[in-house]
């Protein structure tokens, strides 16, 4: 089966690190949302009154872990494959098995929380959008990391060298700033005006981490949201959107994602100029996914790339009021032949490519 740029990215990473003898990176520090959450929202919700999210129930996790783990997929996420390829164990969520935080860096800590945004909740609340899943924005996640430092290292230079040996996975983050606002009924034009603010939040977080000693980043861009079953369903039957005939995706929303990605890459280039010693790898999730939408069969997605494996039926097997894992949802028999897992998230089959 054809291989995608995600795996090429990992091979590039492995070949660029020869500084450290026993494996290049001693840990992974991860920030982001549901595309990287390995159990933080699960922990938060079991220790709060917030209703348990649907992805804590089967068939989530059926493919690899054989039980729900808090990952928004049938199986593993890109962060899991990244850890494996670097010879590291699966990266634990920062919200420990208790309400307490994992404070030791060890071989990695994952601060990503499903539902989180790049911008603080106050930005969205000022615009009438309340986050019902989590307020653990990127700034909150960075705060958790900084609070953990005293138990990981004792001097500034020791901290810098520890963080410098870590691979920082920065995202994907920002997608929910748009998802939540669009779901709340805001227009695409209005939400597009958030993009520069979202990019600024990501870039300032990267700069703070560089000041703390970070030397290697993987920064994923946004996915082609115009191809997601959730948006295809939201706009279904609307004459307001045009479709790309070769993929079936919504052109306007993919242009939106491209705009985010272009601005992100421009700002990453500025950081590279200012800090030539820092290695920043842009992870092109957008084009990796687009290859699947253009040639689903070539990558083994014989059930197409647009329809979700698990969901509430309808043309894309997605229904906002019948989420995957709800009693009346349906789940496909062969998730490996689907690109889209639950409407918004991807199957392990994509992540493994
Ligand atoms: C949970 O945390 C409390 C206090 O921080 C500690 O006494 C207890 O042993 C912890 N339990 C587990 C299972 O880690
Ligand atoms: C986020 O904070 C707002 C108040 O600022 C609150 O209304 C909301 O319930 C919080 N969301 C979660 C999931 O805790
Ligand atoms: C896409 O398909 C529609 C209907 O089948 C057609 O009217 C339109 O011209 C096509 N657009 C392009 C760019 O091929
Ligand atoms: C979504 O599911 C609900 C509940 O089963 C149903 O009433 C509604 O018609 C469905 N919506 C679509 C677009 O299929």
């Amino acid at each position: 089966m054809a291989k995608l740029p995600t795996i090429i990215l990992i091979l590039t990473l492995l070949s660029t690190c020869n500084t450290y003898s026993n494996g290049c990176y001693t840990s992974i520090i991860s920030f982001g949302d549901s595309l990287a959450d390995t159990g933080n929202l699960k922990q938060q919700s079991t220790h709060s009154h917030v209703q348990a999210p649907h992805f804590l129930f089967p068939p989530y996790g059926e493919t690899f872990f054989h039980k729900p783990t808090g990952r928004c997929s049938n199986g593993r996420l890109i962060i899991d494959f990244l850890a494996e390829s670097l010879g590291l164990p699966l990266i634990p969520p920062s919200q420990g098995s208790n309400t307490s935080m994992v404070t030791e860096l060890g071989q990695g800590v994952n601060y990503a929380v499903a539902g989180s945004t790049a911008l603080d909740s106050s930005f969205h609340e000022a615009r009438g959008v309340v986050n019902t899943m989590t307020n653990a924005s990127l700034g909150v996640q960075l705060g958790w990391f900084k609070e953990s430092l005293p138990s990981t290292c004792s001097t500034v230079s020791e901290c810098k060298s520890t963080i410098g040996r870590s691979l920082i996975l920065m995202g994907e983050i920002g997608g929910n700033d748009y998802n939540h606002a669009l779901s709340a009924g805001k227009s695409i034009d209005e939400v597009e005006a958030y993009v520069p603010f979202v990019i600024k939040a990501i870039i300032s977080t990267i700069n703070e981490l560089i000041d703390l000693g970070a030397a290697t980043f993987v920064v994923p861009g946004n996915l082609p949201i115009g191809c997601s079953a959730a948006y295809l369903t939201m706009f279904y039957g609307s004459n307001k959107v045009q479709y790309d005939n070769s993929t079936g995706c919504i052109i306007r929303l993919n242009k939106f994602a491209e705009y985010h990605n272009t601005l992100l890459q421009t700002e990453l280039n500025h950081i590279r100029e200012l800090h030539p010693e820092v290695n920043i790898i842009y992870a092109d999730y957008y084009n990796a996914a687009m290859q699947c939408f253009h040639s689903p069969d070539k990558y083994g997605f014989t059930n197409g790339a647009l329809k979700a494996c698990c969901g509430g039926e309808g043309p894309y097997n997605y229904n906002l009021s019948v989420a995957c894992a709800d009693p009346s949802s349906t789940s496909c028999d062969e998730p490996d032949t689907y690109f889209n897992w639950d409407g918004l998230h991807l199957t392990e089959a994509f992540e493994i490519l």
Side-chain angles (χ1 to χ4, degrees), residues 36 44 86 112 142 178 195-196 210 234 244 282 285 287 319 330-331:
Q44 283 195 338
L86 296 177
L142 180 68
Y178 315 135
V195 173
I210 290 174
M234 191 192 291
D244 175 346
Y282 173 70
Y285 288 7
N287 284 302
N319 182 328
T330 61
S331 190

Side-chain angles (χ1 to χ4, degrees), residues 11 62 76 81 97 135 146 157 168 193 196 224 233 236 256 281:
L11 296 175
E62 67 177 4
R76 289 163 288 182
F81 293 106
S97 55
N135 286 320
K146 289 202 269 189
S157 75
I168 316 282
T233 303
Y236 189 69
F256 181 114
I281 297 149

Side-chain angles (χ1 to χ4, degrees), residues 66-330:
H66 307 298
K67 60 170 193 220
T69 62
R71 285 170 177 77
C72 290
S73 179
N74 60 316
R76 289 163 288 182
L77 306 177
I78 286 175
I79 183 175
D80 298 316
F81 293 106
L82 202 53
E84 188 188 312
S85 71
L86 296 177
L88 296 169
L90 296 177
I91 307 304
S94 66
Q95 315 277 305
S97 55
N98 231 321
T99 41
S100 62
M101 300 281 290
V102 171
T103 52
E104 298 268 328
L105 177 55
Q107 290 181 291
V109 179
N110 186 359
Y111 296 95
V113 184
S116 70
T117 51
L119 294 163
D120 283 336
S121 295
S122 57
F123 176 95
H124 293 290
E125 281 163 20
R127 288 158 183 79
V129 180
V130 173
N131 193 329
T132 55
M133 290 172 77
T134 180
N135 286 320
S137 64
L138 186 53
V140 171
Q141 294 176 27
L142 180 68
W144 291 341
F145 172 64
K146 289 202 269 189
E147 282 165 28
S148 80
L149 284 178
S151 34
T152 284
C153 46
S154 44
T155 64
V156 170
S157 75
E158 193 198 330
C159 290
K160 281 195 165 182
S161 94
T162 304
I163 298 168
R165 287 192 302 270
S166 298
L167 180 74
I168 316 282
L169 180 59
M170 179 53 63
E172 176 278 330
I173 186 77
N176 287 327
D177 295 76
Y178 315 135
N179 292 339
H180 296 164
L182 290 167
S183 304
K186 296 200 177 291
S187 72
I188 299 175
D189 288 343
E190 183 177 354
V191 178
E192 202 165 48
Y194 299 178
V195 173
F197 298 100
V198 166
I199 301 300
K200 201 172 163 213
I202 298 170
I203 295 299
S204 75
T205 306
I206 293 174
N207 280 326
E208 274 206 60
L209 288 162
I210 290 174
D211 287 344
L212 291 169
T216 310
F217 292 85
V218 172
V219 187
N222 201 351
L223 286 162
I225 57 175
C227 307
S228 98
Y231 282 112
L232 288 164
T233 303
M234 191 192 291
F235 289 97
Y236 189 69
S238 151
N239 54 14
K240 286 196 203 131
V241 292
Q242 289 186 317
Y243 295 89
D244 175 346
N245 287 352
S246 61
T247 57
C249 303
I250 298 171
I251 294 170
R252 178 73 182 85
L253 287 170
N254 279 357
K255 290 267 177 249
F256 181 114
E258 284 179 22
Y259 170 52
H260 168 100
N261 292 342
T262 302
L263 213 54
L264 177 60
Q265 289 177 82
T266 302
E267 294 304 320
L268 293 179
N269 281 336
H270 286 157
I271 299 182
R272 290 182 183 115
E273 281 166 22
L274 289 171
H275 302 280
E277 75 288 1
V278 174
N279 186 13
I280 298 178
I281 297 149
Y282 173 70
D284 195 350
Y285 288 7
Y286 183 96
N287 284 302
M290 280 315 287
Q291 290 188 37
C292 301
F293 292 117
H294 280 295
S295 323
D297 288 337
K298 180 174 161 192
Y299 296 102
F301 301 115
T302 48
N303 274 298
L306 299 180
K307 197 173 174 174
C309 163
C310 181
E313 301 189 325
Y316 300 99
N317 196 28
Y318 181 85
N319 182 328
L320 193 57
S321 52
V322 185
C324 173
D326 280 1
S328 53
S329 67
T330 61

Side-chain angles (χ1 to χ4, degrees), residues 34-93:
S34 55
L35 297 190
D37 186 352
T38 53
N40 280 315
L41 193 66
K42 177 176 190 248
Q43 292 303 333
Q44 283 195 338
S45 69
T46 46
H47 295 287
S48 76
H49 58 278
V50 179
Q51 195 197 345
H54 60 101
F55 60 83
L56 300 190
F57 300 93
Y60 283 88
E62 67 177 4
T63 296
F64 178 78
F65 300 100
H66 307 298
K67 60 170 193 220
T69 62
R71 285 170 177 77
C72 290
S73 179
N74 60 316
R76 289 163 288 182
L77 306 177
I78 286 175
I79 183 175
D80 298 316
F81 293 106
L82 202 53
E84 188 188 312
S85 71
L86 296 177
L88 296 169
L90 296 177
I91 307 304

